[in-house]
Amino acid sequence: MTTQATRIPLFDPGASLRPLREHLEQRMLEVLESGRFVLGPQVKAFEHELAGYLGVKHVVGVGNGTDAITIALKAMDIGSGDEVIVPPFTFYASDEAIVPTGATPVFCDIDLETYNMTAETVGQALTSKTKAVLAVDLFGNPARILEIEALGVPVLEDAAQAAGSLLHGRKAGSLGHAATFSSYPSKNLGAFGDAGAIATDDDGLADTIRSLRSHGSRDKVTFEKLGFNTRLDELQAGLLRVLLPELDGWCDGRRRAARMYEDAGAGDLVRLPRAAEGADPAWHLYVVRRERADELVETLNGAGIESRAYYRTPVHRQEPMRTFARDVELPATEEAARTNFALPIHPTLEQSQVAHVVETLRAALEG
């Protein structure tokens, strides 16, 4: 029988947060005593600190990662009649967030080994109406954005799953014309509720984004645009400031866990994810592939090892998105959707736990 002590969770944010509890509680009290709860000093400080971490000029905090995409696209002057190329093997929000701008999502295929779009798959989807590419750093593996940008179309980087990842020494979130982040609690840099951010080096774009997050106004008196009400909470910003200095250490723990799977022979049993050329992913999820994927997920969960499939029904086959999919054929997307499942990965994963995961897989496949 599986006990709580032997259970291996897919995520384990609590283990990383426990040493920080006193600091987090102090920050919460500081915010409460300040009486400032919306766009106060904590938000301003977090934006400055995250910009410094990423190596960009501007970060603008917003309410969540989905709003971040919509606002960034609107600020890039994308709207009705425009097309935005996006992969459908991703969380639904990446594609869904395009639609409120009035633009049309155009789906492109992925590279099966990295799970990301490439310059080749984007090029196959380009038309005269293409106004932007939304490149997703899926599972923490950075897309090769510089190659995609060379096609001559602005790239918005969806770095929601990639905080702490690197591509050619640059932080994910600094690679495109702008980038968006989610700090949903399970993310590499997770908040204690919903939170998001947009990063860019473009002064004018950042100024427009700040206006759009607050009803299209800079002063609450004059309203220049039809905007949104989606601001990063002061409390969440304060807590994220406590977590940000820990991010690189946590990401190193995730990389260490991925190496442990490799060293334990997981690659002999399943197809492991491959880092994009020049990338050093901070694996948000460690997603492998194998025939009989659903059967293996059931076996792992039965053994107390949390596992799940991701995006079994890719976005272009979700009912609300079918109108945009037309007759598109995306064989790599379909293969990834059919055969993938995630193994536990987090900064405190132990070698004995990895060994148990691998031996459970081996027994299931040899049985």
Side-chain angles (χ1 to χ4, degrees), residues 37 62 111 141-142 153 175 178 197 265 313:
F37 303 114
V62 295
D111 166 54
N141 198 4
V153 180
L175 302 173
T313 303

Side-chain angles (χ1 to χ4, degrees), residues 90-340:
T90 182
F91 182 57
Y92 184 77
S94 298
D95 303 50
E96 175 192 34
I98 297 169
V99 180
T101 69
T104 299
V106 174
F107 302 110
C108 75
D109 212 354
I110 60 168
D111 166 54
L112 193 54
E113 301 303 317
T114 64
Y115 302 118
N116 283 331
M117 60 162 47
T118 66
E120 181 180 0
T121 63
V122 170
Q124 293 168 355
L126 278 172
T127 76
S128 60
K129 296 181 179 179
T130 304
K131 192 70 173 290
V133 174
L134 180 59
V136 181
D137 298 331
L138 198 65
F139 306 140
N141 198 4
R144 295 169 66 176
I145 289 173
L146 299 182
E147 295 176 13
I148 298 170
E149 281 187 323
L151 297 173
V153 180
V155 176
L156 176 62
E157 179 186 7
D158 179 356
Q161 299 184 7
S165 294
L166 297 165
L167 182 66
H168 300 301
R170 292 174 56 183
K171 298 284 190 183
S174 69
L175 302 173
H177 185 59
T180 62
F181 286 94
S182 166
S183 285
Y184 187 78
S186 62
K187 294 295 195 292
N188 294 4
L189 183 66
F192 296 78
D194 281 316
I198 305 167
T200 184
D201 281 324
D202 187 317
D203 297 342
L205 191 69
D207 190 50
T208 300
I209 290 167
R210 291 189 185 96
S211 169
L212 287 173
R213 75 174 172 183
S214 295
H215 305 287
S217 176
R218 293 174 173 80
D219 59 8
K220 299 184 183 180
V221 176
T222 303
F223 297 88
E224 302 166 346
K225 299 177 183 295
L226 293 173
F228 303 82
N229 181 19
T230 177
R231 298 168 297 227
L232 176 61
D233 288 340
E234 186 77 352
L235 182 60
Q236 297 293 355
L239 296 172
L240 285 166
R241 291 184 65 205
V242 177
L243 305 185
L244 181 58
E246 310 295 326
L247 177 58
D248 281 344
W250 290 340
C251 290
D252 285 343
R254 291 176 175 275
R255 296 181 181 103
R256 182 170 59 251
R259 289 194 297 271
M260 287 193 292
Y261 277 117
E262 295 174 6
D263 293 343
D268 298 331
L269 308 173
V270 294
R271 193 63 175 254
L272 302 181
R274 178 174 59 81
E277 184 180 348
D280 189 7
W283 300 106
H284 168 60
L285 290 165
Y286 200 66
V287 177
V288 302
R289 290 187 293 114
R290 173 82 195 211
E291 297 293 333
R292 301 167 49 192
D294 289 333
E295 177 186 335
L296 292 170
V297 168
E298 184 176 355
T299 298
L300 289 169
N301 279 293
I305 300 165
E306 190 177 2
S307 174
R308 70 182 70 156
Y310 279 83
Y311 322 136
R312 271 289 184 265
T313 303
V315 177
H316 72 294
R317 291 201 284 108
Q318 298 287 348
E319 190 58 38
M321 290 291 177
R322 286 184 181 273
T323 185
F324 305 114
R326 297 188 289 272
D327 298 323
V328 64
E329 294 185 6
L330 306 171
T333 293
E334 299 288 356
E335 179 73 1
R338 184 179 66 84
T339 59
N340 86 83

